[in-house]
């Protein structure tokens, strides 16, 4: 089975597979420091606990091994500053993967999420059978929407969604980039 690279080096950033139990204390601390920043958009924050963080990390290796979900720690200056994922969402069509990401508030506004998402798009299109990548977010979360817009994704559709987190509007915006669009953008960038 083809799998994404477990470590991706990006100048001053590293995306790396989580190391299960070893990463629990640091990830828990980063989440604790980010709660107010994440609470409006991330429903899981309402149930955040050390046990939830431990359980989350305990399941990552198996999900990676079977090709369901590839979750990375975003590391900058030797410290975890967020997470990003490449995964098959329940509602995704067969040839599509979805990207998710969140950052510690101190890491926002510097292109960290954009660089991480760009790297995940590249990893996705190295996998056989992947013909598109989606980013799905609440349209009210403008910061999340800025990432796919900067990367050349196009608005694919809007659909109703249950508003679970406090700031959610009850709608999801799906951004999409196809393998062909990504290749054209990469060629264009190479000529610039």
């Amino acid at each position: 089975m083809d799998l994404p690279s477990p470590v991706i080096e990006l100048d001053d950033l590293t995306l790396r597979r989580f190391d299960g139990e070893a990463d629990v204390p640091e990830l828990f601390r980063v989440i604790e420091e980010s709660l107010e920043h994440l609470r409006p958009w991330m429903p899981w924050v309402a149930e955040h606990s050390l046990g939830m963080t431990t359980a989350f990390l305990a399941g990552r290796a198996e999900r990676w091994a079977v090709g369901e979900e590839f979750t990375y720690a975003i590391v900058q200056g030797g410290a975890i500053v967020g997470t990003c994922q490449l995964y098959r969402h329940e509602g995704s069509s067969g040839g599509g993967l979805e990207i998710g990401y969140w950052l510690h508030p101190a890491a926002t506004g510097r292109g960290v999420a954009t660089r991480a998402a760009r790297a995940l798009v590249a990893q996705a299109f190295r996998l056989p059978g992947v013909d598109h990548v989606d980013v799905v977010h609440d349209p009210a979360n403008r910061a999340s929407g800025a990432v796919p817009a900067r990367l050349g994704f196009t608005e694919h559709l809007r659909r109703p969604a249950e508003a679970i987190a406090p700031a959610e509007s009850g709608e999801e915006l799906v951004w999409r980039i196809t393998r062909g669009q990504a290749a054209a953008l990469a060629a264009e960038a190479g000529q610039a």
Side-chain angles (χ1 to χ4, degrees), residues 59-81:
R60 296 314 96 194
E62 181 181 337
R63 293 178 68 92
W64 189 294
V66 299
E68 289 178 7
E69 178 183 297
F70 311 103
T71 303
Y72 293 87
I74 302 172
V75 179
Q76 188 170 41
I80 295 174
V81 298

Side-chain angles (χ1 to χ4, degrees), residues 63 108 178 181:
R63 293 178 68 92
T108 63
T178 65
Q181 288 171 316

